Amino acid sequence: MKMLNMNKSRLERRIVGSTNRWRFPKEPFSGDLLALSQMCNALSIDLDDALKHPSRLSISKIQKLFSENFNNQAIQSLEPDVILECLGFKWELHQPQLFQSETLAKLYLGALIQSTNRSLGEMNKTMQALSPGKAKEKSPFKKMIISLRINDPSVTRVAFATALKNLYISEVEINADDAMAVLASANILQFSSLFQKCVDTMIKALTPSNIKNFYLAGCRYKEEQLTKACEKWLEMNLVPLLGTQLHLRHIPQDLLQKVLKSPRLFTFSEFHLLKTLLLWVYLQLNRNIQVIPINETLLTYFNSFSKESCFLDRDIGYGWISLFLSLRLHSITSVKDLEELRNINFFPTSWLIRVTANHYYSLENGGDMVHLKDLPTQGVRFGLLFNKEYTTHSKTISIYGFFFELKGIRHDTTSYSFYMQRIRHTDLESPAAVCERSTVSLRAERLVRYEIRAQALVNGRWQEFETSQITQKFGFIKPHCKSHILKVQSVGAPIYVSFAIIFPVS
């Protein structure tokens, strides 16, 4: 009892419903934790957030009361309740719409508390006293003037006006060119529904010209949905689209690094990916270039550096080593392409020796890729870009003397099939020319582990189709010459089809 008396000034006992619990005085909410939990569920408020920030609970309750007691029809006859001073303008706003923005709600309630000396709880009771039938009556609070200072340079007056307009008309369309500025405005206002609307618009409007700014906006406002969408879009379009445009120079290195490490990255071949990455480096070092250089120009540029050390070992190139470590140089098997790698003096000698040694070992052992184990991250990759005007599309690849045809067939407007099949070198258009520059294997069978993946963009969302990892012996005679068929049903175009291949030990 003595201890209870000592703590009486600090703690008080309160009976709440059927409970009889210790509570701290001057608490921001009434009732016990169970009641608080039920209240948060009813108001769609996070319980932990309510405990950390009790004032938000009252704000959210008032927001709910405003939405219940007012409607858009009544707004037309109401005088504005708030004058918002922002960006050099004065904006007239009404209470029901204002409370859709957490920022404006806090400013407004803060101004009310200061002018009326009422607590949030008292104002909450005042609003509870209002019934829907009294919505057209004069507000119990006088017109307030609030000010909002914005330091985000992405927010423009037009975008901010659009954001305020969305407080009243939720169907307002957001133009893709203005979406980033409106997103910034929604972030300042803490207007969640508009923020999500902008994110959805930006995801559906990704192009080479805006991918950088949209990605940086996603990072700035910690919007993972937007950053992931940018990464996914770039995984598909880095090589086929940006690999031929000056917009490539604007891709941030951290975004490029993430995309290069992705097992879902689309490329026609590893050498195509390498050339795209070399072009990116060239554009970083030559900012004034306004025309995409031809391949010979790139080779000449990198060859112009001293032969004392390779480009990546120099100070100028050392910061980009991690990008090139993400490449699968072992996937480059063409004699011509390997000669090009050696001649540009770009890679450390140790890298090229390791690649060459692995190739020699595989050739001496009938194509076995002993050094490759994980198909998604190490497989030799090739790609087909199947455009909507195609009925069939194919390409021929060669790996250690084994020739395969990668093929796609369109059956109707939404139905496709993709597969690979082994062919003889004599089936090629110019077999003699192939034999001059490539090894030809005479083995009747080749054990292959492979996976086929197709991806298409539909209404801002990526559809994915894939086979499982399949291990199969390929011969020259049907049905053993043909892989599993990947069937695709999609309205998206183009379709990005990737083939990952490993020759396991046989």
Side-chain angles (χ1 to χ4, degrees), residues 206-430:
L206 285 168
T207 64
S209 61
N210 63 31
I211 179 73
K212 172 195 171 183
N213 290 333
F214 283 11
Y215 172 74
L216 293 178
C219 294
R220 180 172 188 176
Y221 303 121
K222 296 179 174 59
E223 180 50 47
E224 186 176 358
Q225 183 185 3
L226 180 56
T227 56
K228 291 295 183 184
C230 292
E231 291 170 18
K232 180 63 179 179
W233 185 90
L234 194 59
E235 287 173 9
M236 297 296 100
N237 293 289
L238 175 63
V239 174
L241 194 57
L242 278 164
T244 59
Q245 297 187 19
L246 288 171
H247 294 297
L248 178 65
R249 66 156 48 105
H250 302 303
I251 301 300
Q253 183 172 343
D254 68 313
L255 175 57
L256 191 58
Q257 183 79 69
K258 292 177 184 177
V259 169
L260 291 173
K261 288 185 175 181
S262 171
R264 298 181 181 276
L265 170 64
F266 175 85
T267 182
F268 299 114
S269 70
E270 203 68 27
F271 195 66
H272 279 88
L273 181 57
L274 170 61
K275 289 196 294 184
T276 300
L277 198 50
L278 289 174
L279 176 60
W280 181 85
V281 171
Y282 178 83
L283 293 174
Q284 303 309 302
L285 299 174
N286 297 273
R287 290 286 181 175
N288 295 326
I289 295 295
Q290 297 301 317
V291 178
I292 290 292
I294 60 176
N295 190 51
E296 286 71 18
T297 302
L298 285 180
L299 299 180
T300 301
Y301 174 78
F302 290 115
N303 265 323
S304 66
F305 291 92
S306 171
K307 304 299 181 182
E308 293 179 1
S309 61
C310 71
F311 181 84
L312 289 180
D313 280 342
R314 295 174 174 276
D315 291 340
I316 194 175
Y318 188 77
W320 294 319
I321 284 183
S322 60
L323 296 176
F324 289 90
L325 282 172
S326 302
L327 296 179
R328 306 177 190 180
L329 294 181
H330 58 266
S331 297
I332 301 175
T333 59
S334 163
V335 174
K336 178 178 177 295
D337 295 342
L338 289 170
E339 286 178 355
E340 213 168 271
L341 283 188
R342 286 192 294 270
N343 292 335
I344 62 174
N345 192 35
F346 190 89
F347 294 98
T349 303
S350 59
W351 294 23
L352 299 178
I353 290 176
R354 183 169 60 251
V355 170
T356 304
N358 288 334
H359 287 338
Y360 273 119
Y361 182 89
S362 295
L363 287 169
E364 289 178 349
N365 291 274
D368 292 352
M369 301 176 181
V370 180
H371 56 289
L372 304 183
K373 303 296 182 183
D374 187 58
L375 185 62
T377 60
Q378 296 179 311
V380 180
R381 51 191 172 186
F382 297 93
L384 284 180
L385 190 61
F386 202 96
N387 294 315
K388 61 182 180 181
E389 64 269 17
Y390 292 158
T391 53
T392 62
H393 182 49
S394 65
K395 68 185 291 185
T396 301
I397 64 170
S398 170
I399 308 175
Y400 298 141
F402 296 90
F403 295 86
F404 295 87
E405 181 185 28
L406 313 180
K407 192 166 187 177
I409 300 174
R410 178 164 62 85
H411 304 289
D412 54 47
T413 55
T414 61
S415 180
Y416 305 83
S417 294
F418 300 97
Y419 61 91
M420 56 185 280
Q421 62 182 1
R422 188 180 176 190
I423 59 175
R424 301 177 188 272
H425 73 281
T426 53
D427 296 333
L428 303 174
E429 292 183 1
S430 304

Side-chain angles (χ1 to χ4, degrees), residues 57-125:
L57 183 63
S58 296
I59 292 173
S60 298
K61 290 174 69 177
I62 294 176
Q63 282 180 279
K64 186 174 179 69
L65 288 168
F66 270 119
S67 64
E68 290 174 349
N69 293 334
F70 291 91
N71 54 51
N72 288 332
Q73 287 73 27
I75 294 171
Q76 306 302 325
S77 60
L78 289 176
E79 290 293 321
D81 305 295
V82 181
I83 303 297
L84 171 63
E85 296 178 344
C86 184
L87 298 175
F89 280 84
K90 292 184 178 180
W91 317 80
E92 295 183 340
L93 302 174
H94 298 81
Q95 288 175 338
Q97 283 63 46
L98 174 145
F99 273 87
Q100 295 178 66
S101 161
E102 189 172 332
T103 298
L104 297 182
K106 287 179 180 178
L107 289 173
Y108 178 58
L109 292 176
L112 281 179
I113 291 172
Q114 189 174 4
S115 64
T116 63
N117 292 321
R118 297 188 186 186
S119 67
L120 281 174
E122 290 173 335
M123 285 189 290
N124 186 35
K125 291 179 181 179

Side-chain angles (χ1 to χ4, degrees), residues 444-491:
E445 293 183 330
R446 174 64 253 180
L447 187 65
V448 180
R449 186 186 309 140
Y450 66 92
E451 183 178 34
I452 307 172
R453 178 186 294 117
Q455 300 173 83
L457 184 62
V458 179
N459 295 326
R461 296 184 178 274
W462 287 95
Q463 293 181 327
E464 297 189 8
F465 309 85
E466 60 183 27
T467 65
S468 57
Q469 292 188 27
I470 300 172
T471 302
Q472 172 185 337
K473 281 187 177 180
F474 280 81
F476 291 115
I477 303 173
K478 293 182 179 180
H480 305 293
C481 66
K482 195 172 183 179
S483 74
H484 176 86
I485 298 176
L486 176 64
K487 296 181 179 179
V488 172
Q489 291 285 337
S490 177
V491 296

